[in-house]
Amino acid sequence: MTSLTHLTLEVADLTAAETFYAASGLGAHVRLRAASDEPSDGFRGFSVSLTVERPADVRALVEAAVDAGATVLKPATKSFWGYGGVVRAPDGTIWKFASSEKKDTGPATGRVDRVVLLLGTTDMAATREFYVGQGLTVAKSFGRKYVEFAGSETPGGSESSRDPEGSGSGVTLALYPRKGLAKDVGVPVDGSGAHRIVLGGSGDGSFTDPDGFAWEPAALTTPR
C-alpha cells in the first residue's frame, strides 16, 4: 500500500445510512456496505475529520449533519487552535469538522480542503513502523503524540456536501493515541468489537494493522 484512497463504513442499517449520508452531504467522503454480525460497542477507535476554510463551513456541516439525524458531541465553537465541532452519525461514526480560522471571514464556501482519518492507537511507535513497512511515508511526526502520513489529497480541495455519488478519494491517514483521540472527540475511551470501517488502499494486498483496522485493495470495493 502506498496511500489511503477511500473509506468504507460498515453499517447495521444500510438503507438508513444511505439516507443519512445523502441528506447530510457526508456521503461524498465515504462508501457504505452492510456490517457483519460481529458486535461493536463503545468507542470504535477512529474519527473522520473534514478540514475546511471558514468557521461558517464548520457550522454548515454540523447543521446539515444534525438535521439529517446526527448527534452533537461537541458544538461548533472556538478553541486555541481554531474553530471546530464534532458529531456522531446514526451509524456511530464520529465526524469532526475543523477550520484553523477563528474569526468569521465570510459565508460558507461549501468546500473541504482535506479529509483525514484519525486512528487511535495503543502504541504509536509500533503502529508508525508498521505503516512505514507497508510503504507509507511519514509527512509529519510529533513523537508519540501525532503521526501523519503522506496522502493523495486532491489539490485545491473538493466539494464538501454536494456530491453524494463521490467515492471519498484522497484521504490523509493520521495516528493519535487512543485516549487522546477519545478525549478530542468527546467520548469515553472504552470500546470493543468491530471498528466498522475498512480502509481502501492503492496497492494489491489486504492486511490488518496492530490496532485491528483492516485494509483492502481499492479494486475490491465498489462505491455505493
Side-chain angles (χ1 to χ4, degrees):
M1 297 292 173
T2 57
S3 65
L4 177 58
T5 62
H6 65 271
L7 308 174
T8 300
L9 302 178
E10 297 184 329
V11 298
D13 188 330
L14 187 56
T15 299
E18 289 174 336
T19 298
F20 168 79
Y21 282 102
S24 66
L26 297 176
H29 309 293
V30 292
R31 300 174 181 182
L32 303 173
R33 70 185 183 199
S36 68
D37 293 330
E38 183 181 357
S40 180
D41 181 66
F43 181 45
R44 296 177 184 172
F46 75 92
S47 68
V48 183
S49 178
L50 303 186
T51 303
V52 296
E53 182 177 347
R54 299 172 177 173
D57 288 303
V58 172
R59 292 193 296 272
L61 286 165
V62 170
E63 290 169 4
V66 170
D67 287 346
T71 301
V72 174
L73 296 177
K74 287 189 173 183
T77 188
K78 293 180 182 179
S79 69
F80 71 92
W81 50 261
Y83 194 94
V86 183
V87 303
R88 178 157 47 202
D91 66 277
T93 301
I94 295 173
W95 291 81
K96 180 177 180 179
F97 313 124
S99 170
S100 61
E101 296 293 330
K102 295 183 180 182
K103 295 182 179 180
D104 281 309
T105 57
T109 65
R111 296 179 65 84
V112 169
D113 294 327
R114 288 207 308 166
V115 181
V116 182
L117 173 65
L118 282 163
L119 299 183
T121 180
T122 57
D123 188 330
M124 288 286 287
T127 303
R128 168 183 165 147
E129 290 308 307
F130 173 84
Y131 278 114
V132 169
Q134 292 293 332
L136 276 71
T137 302
V138 174
K140 297 179 182 178
S141 179
F142 300 95
R144 296 179 181 272
K145 295 182 178 181
Y146 180 81
V147 173
E148 183 177 300
F149 298 96
S152 55
E153 303 93 343
T154 301
S158 59
E159 292 297 324
S160 66
S161 57
R162 305 293 183 263
D163 182 16
E165 299 302 321
S167 63
S169 62
V171 184
T172 297
L173 175 66
L175 307 178
Y176 206 37
R178 181 182 170 92
K179 289 183 179 179
L181 180 57
K183 181 178 180 180
D184 183 60
V185 297
V187 298
V189 70
D190 297 332
S192 62
H195 291 298
R196 293 284 193 259
I197 189 171
V198 176
L199 287 60
S202 60
D204 297 326
S206 298
F207 61 87
T208 301
D209 81 0
D211 295 288
F213 289 97
W215 286 69
E216 64 184 23
L220 293 182
T221 307
T222 55
R224 175 160 182 176

